[in-house]
Amino acid sequence: LVGDDEDAALMLKVARGDRKAFATLFDRHQAGVVRFAWRFTGNQAQAEELAQDIFIKLFRSAGAYQPSAKFKTYLYRVATNHCLNARRGPAAKLEVTVDQTERALEPTGSATTPGETLEGKQLEAVVAKALEAMSERERAAFCMCRFEGLAYKDIAVALSATEAAVKSLIHRATLTVAKHLEAMHAAPRAAAS
Amino acid sequence: MGRKAGMSNHEENLTAYLDGELPEAERKELEAALEKDPGLKASLEQLRSAVAAVKALPEAEASAALRRAVLAGVDGPQTLSERLRAFFTLPRLVPIAGVAAVAALAVVVSGGEKAPADPEQLFVAQNMELLEDLDTLGLESPEDLDVVMALDQLEAAP
């Protein structure tokens, strides 16, 4: 096992058919996997469906799990592969456009949370556009780093890349977001002048 | 951004610096460069704003329906391959031939009575032929099962 990776120990139990161990792993990681699927594919509505497939795939492939790397790394490797396939499927692009970009610009209702304000919605739409503009590997590395807090070395394992490559992927991806945000802030200034 | 991407090694290191992923020597070098270069510092602040903006995005919440669906999904009937894999990862592995013999004896002794069956023994009994094949081939690892499963398919083909 890698260090005292409790999740890896649970996964070995899952490989022996232990449903309770699987339920514990699910409870620990479900929010992260849903968030990753949402951000990676840009489709919030489909995120739970993808997460369901990812967890079932995880269960069914438990016998092949080798605890030489952290469990979380293995999980996000499975999640990345699954989300990549989903994005490459028919009509995936269209769904992304409707779900993130256009729906995010719909007028807000009266009862709003901070994330639902116009500024929050604009931010959501801009980040979604930036994610769309990234390469698949940039997006995968960015999502694992920014949304799931994985270290560069773990992302490198998940993507079968070097740490130097991951550093570069995350830098370029963050730069893309920065450029999109800059354009968002520049637009009202241009309109006013 | 105030500067173009890839202008220097320092530019390339800015995001890793923000993420606390830069080795100490490179971090010190970058900090020295930041002191001298206002453009580099401006780039760092723009990247810092981007990281903060992403952090401010709403969290995803998984529904109770997802939990039900996933747990129901894994409670479904397992395929033969999955059951074989589970069998091979049992902590108390014993020689296959020996287990098969015990299972065969249990079937004979029970004389067809409806006693509660041990799932493991039942599984061995149901897959006796395949397990004997595995033993003949001298396979010990779950990974080898894919080969055997493929062999079975070949045998089944007309």
Side-chain angles (χ1 to χ4, degrees), chain B residues 24-86:
Chain B
E24 195 174 345
E26 287 180 65
R27 181 175 59 80
K28 283 183 177 169
E29 200 180 315
L30 179 62
E31 283 172 348
L34 284 165
E35 289 291 320
K36 294 177 199 159
D37 187 342
L40 189 65
K41 201 163 188 176
S43 296
L44 177 71
E45 291 315 312
Q46 279 180 305
L47 288 166
R48 198 193 299 277
S49 299
V51 171
V54 170
K55 232 176 222 171
L57 290 174
E59 286 286 314
E61 284 180 26
S63 70
L66 174 64
R67 191 178 200 279
R68 282 195 298 274
V70 169
L71 297 184
V74 302
D75 278 337
Q78 289 177 292
T79 63
L80 177 61
S81 170
E82 286 163 0
R83 286 154 66 199
L84 282 168
R85 284 183 193 283

Side-chain angles (χ1 to χ4, degrees), chain A residues 12-44:
Chain A
L12 291 176
K13 287 184 178 180
V14 175
R16 298 197 290 269
D18 187 334
R19 259 77 168 161
K20 209 173 163 185
F22 178 73
T24 305
L25 279 177
F26 173 82
D27 289 338
R28 283 184 186 178
H29 297 285
Q30 58 167 332
V33 171
V34 170
R35 182 172 49 227
F36 179 83
W38 171 19
R39 298 301 180 190
F40 189 88
T41 61
N43 191 329
Q44 187 179 6

Side-chain angles (χ1 to χ4, degrees), chain A residues 8 19-20 84 91 103 111 137 148 154 164 178 193:
Chain A
R19 259 77 168 161
K20 209 173 163 185
L84 275 174
R103 212 179 62 182
R137 285 174 77 77
E148 307 314 320
D154 294 329
S193 60

Side-chain angles (χ1 to χ4, degrees), chain B residues 68-109:
Chain B
R68 282 195 298 274
V70 169
L71 297 184
V74 302
D75 278 337
Q78 289 177 292
T79 63
L80 177 61
S81 170
E82 286 163 0
R83 286 154 66 199
L84 282 168
R85 284 183 193 283
F87 175 77
F88 270 97
T89 51
L90 284 173
R92 52 187 189 288
L93 272 181
V94 290
I96 291 167
V99 177
V102 170
L105 189 63
V107 170
V108 172
V109 170

